[in-house]
Amino acid sequence: MGVSIKEVAARAGVSVGTVSNVLNRPDMVKAETVEKVHAAIDELGYVPNSAAQQLREGQSRSIGLVALDINNPFFTDVARGAERAAALGRHTVLLANSGESIEREISNIEMFERQRVRGVLVSPLSEDLSRLRDVRKRGIPVVLVDRGTEDTSFPSVAVDDVAGGELAARHLLEGGRRRLAFVGGPMRIRQIIDRYRGAAAAVAAVDEATITSIETEALSLDEGMRVGGELRALVARGEIDAVFAANDLLAIGVQQGLLGGDDPVAIPGDVALVGYDDISFAAAAVVPITSVRQPRELIGETAVALLEEVRESESEPRHVVFEPELVVRSSSAPAPTA
Amino acid sequence: MGVSIKEVAARAGVSVGTVSNVLNRPDMVKAETVEKVHAAIDELGYVPNSAAQQLREGQSRSIGLVALDINNPFFTDVARGAERAAALGRHTVLLANSGESIEREISNIEMFERQRVRGVLVSPLSEDLSRLRDVRKRGIPVVLVDRGTEDTSFPSVAVDDVAGGELAARHLLEGGRRRLAFVGGPMRIRQIIDRYRGAAAAVAAVDEATITSIETEALSLDEGMRVGGELRALVARGEIDAVFAANDLLAIGVQQGLLGGDDPVAIPGDVALVGYDDISFAAAAVVPITSVRQPRELIGETAVALLEEVRESESEPRHVVFEPELVVRSSSAPAPTA
DNA sequence: TTGAAAGCGCTAACAC
DNA sequence: GTGTTAGCGCTTTCAA
């Protein structure tokens, strides 16, 4: 065990209460004593034990953020926003990675509950929120991040993914595209479903336009490349003239798949491409990728703000929905008017 | 406050000691009692308080990992390896992000010390290890990750970055390139210096070969793009025929910069490109990028193993050095023998 | 097989 | 201004 407050007190010739006061309310203590105590702290290399503080205070100073997949730059940006907002209230953000696995999501949430965090920010994988309701019942506030609001009893921050999907598809249609492919999955993830539904609605409004859904196993670069490679033949045969990928990781992979091999197709000549999230790699791709931007850091900041709101008052939980924004780049230039 | 072990005991009609035993050494307890206690736990929704456990045990079950920059896929892969190794001993990895800032690095390490973690894995930004020596003196073991071994009193895992730099430069030279540019920075980061030194050594061994160092402010995509754009003119004038970037984020940016604008140059026709780390985006770039691979997950696993070693015995700390490996892709095909 | 109780390090209420 | 002390939730020793 390290040095405790008791040893500091002995060394400085004061009581433990005084040491604690020096640390937490220095103005209550005579300047001279403050100095003596600080000297003792330095000599001994005292570092407070946060487990003891927390046990005493009944609450941790940390906020738990359960990310779907930490390898997706989208989430590290959300985390950064949350960190910034948390720092304002002298809180800390603990990041846990679910790696798109429901079991890990559950065990991460439980870990946070054992730690008695101030609250949990989570973009749940599963449709079943009963576990989160239990967590809340036990006194730990929960905020839904990047998630629709079927259950309006939780505060939530989200982006209108249906609108985002529409935005993407409408843009492709306006560019003269008619045979769309949607690439994304697994289809149990709410956000992915919404993006598809939005796109499908836009397509339904235009005569002769069609959309095919190609489900992927993960939202990863590799899956995108695989699908992109398979799409080459369809594009060459004219069966597909536009691809809407459910996120940018996929979109970048799809682009590589389309441009690769011995029979590459042209972007945007043969096929247009739109992604989602607007991560920095999207703008840096060979053919810069048009993408639906989400206000990533703002989502994180807002989630923390909603958490504090719900902690402070018993008022109705708020539901913040941001509007997505289309960032047009060269990957989706209009079809040649052939 | 949540439900405590006391309430569970009352509900089950047993003592708190028995509840604790049910949780931690169930075989010591009569089966019937075990059941009663579990029933009470379920009814009450009891979740143990880890602050109390930790205070009692004097140690946390967590290992702290201080990452230089969580937005670099390299570190999330190291983290994944560490998580896997930690899970074997039923430990957890806490991830903290320094964002290339020394102040944040310091405050992250202090946070971990307050939490009395089992140990800290860190790739320190600064050359000054005195703070880490203090941490160790107070009883928290420290392992240096991805870092040379000036101070051999800390266990360390690293990759031979000098050898990596040599590997990259020699490959470019063997491909007929003679006018190299090194892109990387800030130059106070040890790994970057080593990679440059290795490259410079290889260049010195070849007549008429030269290498120019272009220092960047960060190891980011944006900085790479900026430098890549500036390099276009030099390449066009024949002053540079190869670029070695200090990591893949930079390399990808450099590639975009070289291929962009109204006067793009050809890769590998006009200029060859080699990166470092072999992150997955490197293989997925327009022109797939040759890169020096580090065994990322293995680095994380080894760091955890070294931590447990140094905790268990007073023996000499070990220093593990992995050899880097060149992964050749099309961005560095030999120069046209013009 | 179980219960009672000490004590981990800290904060805050209270007494002086 | 400072000291004393109860008690946060838990594990573990000792006794029964």
Side-chain angles (χ1 to χ4, degrees), chain B residues 299-311:
Chain B
I299 290 174
E301 288 175 20
T302 307
V304 171
L306 290 181
L307 172 65
E308 297 303 331
E309 257 180 54
V310 81
R311 285 180 57 92

Side-chain angles (χ1 to χ4, degrees), chain B residues 165-241:
Chain B
E166 258 187 271
L167 218 52
R170 203 175 317 129
H171 170 67
L172 290 167
L173 294 164
E174 285 170 358
R177 314 286 172 166
R178 286 298 175 269
R179 304 176 153 275
L180 277 58
F182 174 83
V183 178
M187 272 303 186
R188 56 188 156 74
I189 301 183
R190 159 69 46 185
Q191 292 91 319
I192 309 304
I193 301 173
D194 283 355
R195 290 169 200 177
Y196 174 69
R197 283 184 25 225
V203 166
V206 172
D207 280 350
E208 295 172 40
T210 61
I211 185 165
T212 316
S213 168
I214 299 171
E215 184 165 358
T216 59
E217 281 175 23
L219 296 162
S220 66
L221 217 73
D222 290 345
E223 277 285 284
M225 277 180 90
R226 189 180 61 71
V227 173
E230 290 172 8
L231 282 175
R232 273 207 310 273
L234 295 179
V235 170
R237 289 206 300 272
E239 292 174 29
I240 294 291
D241 62 9

Side-chain angles (χ1 to χ4, degrees), chain B residues 72-149:
Chain B
N72 184 342
F74 172 80
F75 283 104
T76 55
D77 287 345
V78 170
R80 198 177 333 174
E83 269 171 21
R84 186 181 321 136
L88 263 44
R90 323 203 94 261
H91 302 312
T92 307
V93 172
L94 261 27
L95 230 192
N97 181 21
S98 301
E100 300 196 17
S101 136
I102 283 209
E103 297 76 42
R104 292 187 58 188
E105 176 174 301
I106 291 172
S107 84
N108 283 328
I109 292 172
E110 199 202 314
M111 180 192 73
F112 284 143
E113 193 173 355
R114 287 170 180 262
Q115 312 216 64
R116 304 293 193 266
V117 293
R118 288 179 68 79
V120 177
L121 317 181
V122 55
S123 19
L125 264 166
S126 123
E127 206 60 25
D128 172 21
L129 302 182
S130 63
R131 211 173 304 261
L132 292 176
R133 273 188 284 269
D134 289 345
V135 172
R136 177 178 52 188
K137 208 184 318 163
R138 294 182 216 117
I140 309 225
V142 173
V143 176
L144 300 184
V145 177
D146 193 34
R147 185 66 144 78
T149 57

Side-chain angles (χ1 to χ4, degrees), chain A residues 5-337:
Chain A
I5 201 174
K6 235 190 239 171
E7 300 166 58
V8 175
R11 173 71 155 242
V14 299
S15 74
V16 292
T18 300
V19 176
S20 175
N21 282 333
V22 168
L23 261 21
N24 302 308
R25 307 113 109 203
D27 13 281
M28 273 189 59
V29 184
K30 197 165 45 158
E32 200 184 332
T33 316
V34 171
E35 258 180 55
K36 264 196 311 194
V37 170
H38 274 134
I41 287 177
D42 289 343
E43 287 165 32
L44 263 34
Y46 168 69
V47 178
N49 182 325
S50 58
Q53 288 180 311
Q54 185 173 321
L55 176 58
R56 174 62 224 229
E57 288 169 355
Q59 264 282 338
S60 130
R61 302 198 62 77
S62 301
I63 295 168
L65 171 56
V66 183
L68 257 180
D69 174 18
I70 214 176
N71 286 101
N72 183 341
F74 172 79
F75 283 104
T76 54
D77 287 345
V78 171
R80 197 174 335 168
E83 270 171 20
R84 186 181 321 136
L88 263 42
R90 322 204 97 261
H91 303 311
T92 308
V93 172
L94 262 28
L95 230 193
N97 181 23
S98 302
E100 299 196 14
S101 137
I102 282 209
E103 296 77 42
R104 291 187 59 190
E105 175 174 302
I106 292 172
S107 84
N108 282 328
I109 291 172
E110 199 201 314
M111 180 192 73
F112 284 143
E113 194 174 353
R114 286 171 181 262
Q115 312 215 58
R116 304 293 192 267
V117 294
R118 288 180 69 78
V120 177
L121 317 180
V122 55
S123 18
L125 266 166
S126 124
E127 205 60 26
D128 173 20
L129 302 182
S130 63
R131 211 175 304 262
L132 292 176
R133 273 189 283 270
D134 289 346
V135 171
R136 178 180 50 188
K137 209 184 317 166
R138 293 184 216 115
I140 308 225
V142 173
V143 176
L144 301 183
V145 177
D146 194 34
R147 186 70 143 74
T149 57
E150 317 80 51
D151 181 336
T152 56
S153 67
F154 292 103
S156 66
V157 217
V159 168
D160 187 340
D161 280 316
V162 176
E166 259 187 270
L167 218 51
R170 202 175 317 131
H171 170 68
L172 290 167
L173 294 164
E174 284 171 359
R177 314 286 172 168
R178 285 298 177 269
R179 306 177 152 275
L180 277 58
F182 173 83
V183 178
M187 271 303 186
R188 57 188 156 71
I189 300 182
R190 158 69 43 183
Q191 292 90 319
I192 309 305
I193 301 172
D194 283 354
R195 290 169 200 177
Y196 174 69
R197 282 184 25 224
V203 166
V206 172
D207 279 351
E208 295 172 38
T210 60
I211 185 164
T212 318
S213 168
I214 300 172
E215 185 165 357
T216 59
E217 283 176 22
L219 296 162
S220 66
L221 218 73
D222 289 347
E223 278 285 284
M225 277 180 91
R226 188 179 63 68
V227 172
E230 290 173 7
L231 282 175
R232 275 208 309 273
L234 295 180
V235 170
R237 290 205 300 271
E239 293 175 27
I240 293 292
D241 62 9
V243 175
F244 171 35
N247 82 356
D248 282 345
L249 248 35
L250 278 175
I252 293 169
V254 166
Q255 175 170 105
Q256 299 311 319
L258 289 169
L259 296 177
D262 300 327
D263 49 355
V265 296
I267 304 175
D270 299 327
V271 61
L273 176 62
V274 174
Y276 210 105
D277 288 348
D278 192 32
I279 65 177
S280 54
F281 290 100
V286 197
V287 182
I289 299 177
T290 295
S291 189
V292 179
R293 170 180 295 166
Q294 313 200 56
R296 304 182 293 272
E297 301 202 9
L298 184 56
I299 290 174
E301 288 176 21
T302 307
V304 170
L306 290 181
L307 172 63
E308 297 303 332
E309 256 180 54
V310 81
R311 285 179 58 90
E312 278 169 22
S313 75
E314 291 297 309
S315 61
E316 280 298 286
R318 280 208 297 143
H319 307 284
V320 177
V321 179
F322 292 112
E323 285 306 308
E325 180 191 349
L326 189 73
V327 181
V328 178
R329 300 201 180 87
S330 40
S331 74
S332 66
T337 41

